Every structure is written in structure tokens, then in C-alpha cells.
Amino acid sequence: MKARTQVGIVGAGPAGLVLAQLLHLAGIDSVVLENRTRDYCEERVRAGVLEQGTVDMLIEMDVGERLKKEGLTHHGVNVRFGGRTHRLDFDDLTRGRAITIYSQHEVTKDLINARLASNRPLYFETDNIAFSGVDGARPVIRYMHRGESHELTCDYIAGCDGFHGVSRPAIPVSALNIFEKDYPFAWLGILAEAPPSSDELIYAYHERGFALLSMRTPEISRLYVQCPPDDDIIDWPDERVWKELQLRLSTQEKWHLTEGRVLQKGITRMHSFVVEPMQYGSLFLAGDAAHIVPPTGAKGLNLAVADARILARAFTEFYASGRRDLLSGYSAKCLSRVWKVQRFSWWMTMMFHRWQGDSTFDQRRQLAELENLATCRSAAQSFAEYYVGLPLD
Ligand code: FAD
Ligand code: DHB
């Protein structure tokens, strides 16, 4: 079957779905193609921290009703080291900006519902996506859906298909510059049926390695511990996870970590990655398809949404006035934000994790960095401004 659209969007993650909704609101046609099932997309456990700008944007886009009701707004964050906890107060440090805890898969559900309500196409379980003519004016996406082959002719393609998708590999290697960094550790994360033991997140530096206490709802905790990158999940029975969390989150203050039934457990490796430029011909990359940050700082989802907004603006301007300058400036505009956030995520990662073979000098330096964050107002202010998110313009 042959069809035609203005923007072909590959991937129904946060980047693809936000772009689809913004284009819909601007009256621009798009088709969203996703290779997984709807259930898989709506249940995939990933991020949970939304920056202020992301929340404002989701509300503006008419997908913020549940987020407003169920999201947990946090006005500060805790840093724990040397057995003591230091709270960084966003109200004071960022003039009232905040973060909101709301699961990525809940954001995805809200966006999928909005897409279905718009009556514009979103196809799950598509297969064998391939592009042709991306270096010209009328690129084509070929794909299989429900046993039939399809050909979608587009003005533009948005590659929002994550780090392992097909969009980035469709660009000639000679047209791209890749910048990347691997880290010699991973995060083991659990979702637990346990009321969060703190009202706000706790990032903990400990001689046994990093630990993080986060949450999803007043009944469900989300917790992470640093582990070796090649560990298998079977090396981490629930008792071992809780034992490490108890040790690494321990404090001299009066505080108790509540345990509960483990509902989900997974290991995520850590990687920094940027591709430049984020455009080739009529193919634009957005979100994880173009860049990955290590999770420390919770920036991946927020960056993906920021790209989608910039791209939607550029398409809106093009279809309204024929102006192409925002489209040609898309990559540079995104990359300016991406690199600042890469720096922040790398810096937080370096400060909080134990490195194999690090010297006593390195450990003292990390502690001095944490002490500086806890006691120096300008350091705390810079951290808080990045943590709640750079303003979206
Ligand atoms: P994705 O969410 O990856 O969406 C891409 C979509 O494209 C997916 O639905 C995928 O199924 C689809 N797709 C892929 N290939 C194809 C294809 N060939 N054809 C059609 N569709 C395709 N960030 C944080 O901030 N905090 C966290 O705690 C955190 N935890 C994470 C845990 C894991 C296991 C992973 C993988 C990521 C995590 N992230 C976290 C990062 C964050 O989830 C991502 O940055 C965010 O999902 C990026 O959104 P995206 O839309 O760009 O990509
Ligand atoms: C969460 C994930 C992060 O990467 C982070 O820095 C803070 C919280 C979370 O999943 O809740």
C-alpha cells in the first residue's frame, strides 16, 4: 500500500510521541511507526524525573491532566556522603523551579492516548523499516505491518527510534561525527513495593559504590546501586540488593530504609554518546537516536523531549511560512543544549561513583567536590539550575 504524509516519525518513545502531538496541534500530518507492541511501550520501566520545562510543556500540549494529579513535585534533593545528608533547596537556589516524579511509561501512556484521540495514524508492531531518498526532497519509508508491505512518501523523516534504531545507521558514516565515552560500571535498579523512605531523592556516595533512592508513587520506591558492568541479574538476589542499599544509604542521622517486595529488577550500562550533526538531508534525529547520557542526573528523557520541541517548532515554521532556517539550524540548536547536559551528566557520574583502581587521592577529591556542593552556594546553585533543567526557549 502507498501513502503520503508530511512527517514520517519512526519510534513511539517520548521523542516521537511528543513530536507527533506538537505537529498535530500545529495541524501538520504525520505517521508514527513503532516496532513494539502498545503494551510493551506502555509498560517499559525507565526514567522517572521530569524537569520543570518538561512538565510545563506536557501541560501546554494538553497531555498533563494525569501528571498534574499524580505527579510528585519535589522542591529539593538530598546528597548523602560521609554518613551525613545535605539538602539542596530548589526554591532558594532556582527561584521556585522544581522537578516532578512521574514515570516515563505513564508519560508514554498519556501521549499514546492523545495520539489515538487525534485520529492520526500510529502503527505498532511494524517491521523491516527501511528508508530511501533521505538525501533528497521526497524520502520514502518502506515497512511491513500486519503482513502487508507499505510505502510511505514523506516531506521529512524524524528518526526518534532510540539508540538501537534504524535511523542513525541510515546516514552514511562519512557524514557523521561520533563522540562517546564508556563507564566501567552499571546501575542495578529495582522497583519495590515499599513507601519511599524519604520525601525527596537521595544521591549517596559510599565507599562500596553509588546508591540512589527515588520513587514512583507514595507506595512504590525506585532504588539503584552501582554494580560492575558485566554483572548478571542472577548475581543479585533481592536480599543482596537490600543489603547493599542498607549499607550504602546508611547515615549517622535518625533514618530508616523501608524494604518491600521487589516488583522489577534490571541492569543498565552507562554510556555517553553524541552524533553530529543531528540531520542528514531530509532525515532528522531526535532523542536517544542522536545522544545518550549516563543516568546520573536523570536527563535522557528530558533531552529527548527538548529535541522534539525544537524540531516541531522548525516544522511548524516551515509549513506556515516556507522558511527553512529553523530546520537547517535544528542540529546546532539541539547540540548546544545536548553538550551542556552531557557535561552535567558526566560530572555527576564522576563525582558519585567509585572507580575500580581509583587512588586515595581520587577519593579525597570526590569528597571535596561533594563538600563543595554541600557548602558553596554558587556550586549548589549551578547544580540546582541544571538539575531542574535549563529553560526551554
Ligand atoms: P526511546 O524511549 O528509546 O524510544 C524509541 C522508540 O523507538 C521505542 O519505542 C522503540 O521501541 C522504537 N524503535 C526502535 N527501533 C525501531 C525500529 N527499527 N522501528 C520502529 N520503532 C523502533 N533516563 C533517565 O533520565 N533516567 C533513567 O532512570 C533512565 N533509565 C533508563 C533505563 C533503560 C533500560 C534505558 C534503555 C534508558 C533509560 N533512560 C533513563 C533513558 C531514557 O529512558 C531515554 O533517554 C528516553 O527513553 C529517550 O526517549 P526516545 O524517545 O529518544 O527513545
Ligand atoms: C531516577 C533515575 C535517575 O537516573 C536519576 O538520576 C534519578 C531518579 C528514577 O528512575 O527515579
Side-chain angles (χ1 to χ4, degrees), residues 77-81 84-89 93 347 351 366-381 383:
V77 67
N78 300 294
V79 172
R80 187 171 282 179
F81 60 96
R84 301 223 168 265
T85 310
H86 306 265
R87 179 172 187 271
L88 299 164
D89 184 322
L93 295 166
W347 169 75
M351 181 166 60
Q366 282 177 312
L367 284 167
E369 185 100 45
L370 287 159
E371 193 66 41
N372 188 50
L373 181 60
T375 55
C376 168
R377 183 174 171 83
S378 58
Q381 195 157 17
F383 166 86

Side-chain angles (χ1 to χ4, degrees), residues 221-295:
S221 296
R222 176 85 166 135
L223 298 130
Y224 298 93
V225 283
Q226 174 187 348
C227 69
D230 298 319
D231 268 14
D232 200 297
I233 204 75
I234 55 171
D235 301 329
W236 287 90
D238 298 353
E239 309 73 57
R240 180 174 176 211
V241 180
W242 285 116
K243 188 167 160 245
E244 276 307 316
L245 284 165
Q246 292 287 3
L247 289 168
R248 296 184 195 186
L249 287 165
S250 63
T251 163
Q252 295 161 22
E253 295 135 1
K254 197 169 168 329
W255 185 79
H256 170 73
L257 173 64
T258 306
E259 299 187 8
R261 187 161 69 94
V262 174
L263 304 170
Q264 192 266 354
K265 192 162 34 174
I267 292 181
T268 308
R269 294 182 70 138
M270 307 188 51
H271 194 47
S272 299
F273 177 95
V274 181
V275 72
E276 292 187 5
M278 290 169 57
Q279 178 206 353
Y280 176 74
S282 44
L283 170 60
F284 291 80
L285 302 177
D288 279 16
H291 41 72
I292 295 279
V293 286

Side-chain angles (χ1 to χ4, degrees), residues 11 14-15 34-36 44 46-47 104 160-161 224 287-288 298 300-301:
E34 165 62 48
N35 65 352
R36 301 290 193 153
R44 188 167 34 191
R46 283 190 170 179
Q104 176 168 333
C160 304
D161 48 351
Y224 298 93
D288 279 16
L301 161 67

Side-chain angles (χ1 to χ4, degrees), residues 45-49 99 101-102 187 191 201 203 210 212-216 222-224 294-300 348 387:
V45 175
R46 283 190 170 179
V49 175
I99 55 152
I101 302 295
Y102 188 68
W187 279 15
L191 261 189
L201 272 63
Y203 285 84
F210 171 73
L212 169 62
L213 181 150
S214 180
M215 62 220 57
R216 288 294 177 265
R222 176 85 166 135
L223 298 130
Y224 298 93
T296 335
K299 294 295 171 208
M348 265 191 90
Y387 196 78

